[in-house]
Amino acid sequence: MKISARNQFEGTISNIVEGAVNGIVAIDFEGYAIKADITMESIKGLGLEVGKKAFAIVKASSVMFGAGNQPIKGISARNQLVGTVVSIKEGAVNGHVTLELADGNKVTGSITNEAIESLGLAEGETAVAIVKSTDVMVGVEE
């Protein structure tokens, strides 16, 4: 599967909560879990079920960051991944920040240079990547 989204986490579906229109799919990988809020039509069309291999896919523009080494309390975003900043590439207005998770997976987000500075993000520092479940796509190999 080749796609343009930078963040692709391969794992196993650990839970599916079905709703009338949408469902929540939890994909576990290397000690982490990412939840995706997708349509029931997609869940059925992709043949998703507990135990099946799947990919959680997130565009860099959908990743937010927080400073620190703990998940942030009091926010609605379901996915929070703590890691170490391994790369910051600033452009004219926006930059790309990459965190390496404890398992070696990396997550990259695109945020403003102003946000990079105000959060104090720097290589070697710990930060939290935050992704809303509605911003996570699910993919499977056919």
Side-chain angles (χ1 to χ4, degrees):
M1 173 175 63
K2 289 186 177 183
I3 58 174
S4 64
R6 289 179 185 240
N7 302 298
Q8 302 174 40
F9 304 99
E10 183 176 8
T12 303
I13 298 172
S14 61
N15 192 35
I16 299 174
V17 178
E18 296 186 6
V21 177
N22 282 14
I24 304 293
V25 178
I27 299 173
D28 289 359
F29 67 98
E30 305 295 330
Y32 295 90
I34 292 185
K35 293 181 179 180
D37 182 339
I38 62 174
T39 65
M40 289 304 300
E41 182 178 348
S42 292
I43 290 171
K44 299 207 183 309
L46 293 170
L48 302 182
E49 57 188 34
V50 172
K52 184 172 185 168
K53 297 287 183 195
F55 292 86
I57 303 161
V58 181
K59 291 176 57 173
S61 58
S62 297
V63 178
M64 298 174 279
F65 289 96
N69 61 2
Q70 296 292 320
I72 298 166
K73 295 180 182 180
I75 64 172
S76 63
R78 298 295 87 197
N79 301 301
Q80 298 191 45
L81 305 169
V82 177
T84 302
V85 177
V86 293
S87 173
I88 296 176
K89 296 180 183 171
E90 290 189 29
V93 176
N94 289 334
H96 287 159
V97 176
T98 302
L99 297 184
E100 185 171 331
L101 307 179
D103 68 352
N105 274 299
K106 293 181 181 167
V107 58
T108 298
S110 176
I111 61 173
T112 65
N113 294 337
E114 182 180 357
I116 292 169
E117 184 178 325
S118 69
L119 290 171
L121 298 178
E123 290 184 15
E125 295 295 321
T126 306
V128 182
I130 304 160
V131 181
K132 292 175 59 174
S133 61
T134 52
D135 288 333
V136 178
M137 295 173 275
V138 176
V140 295
E141 296 282 356
E142 292 192 65

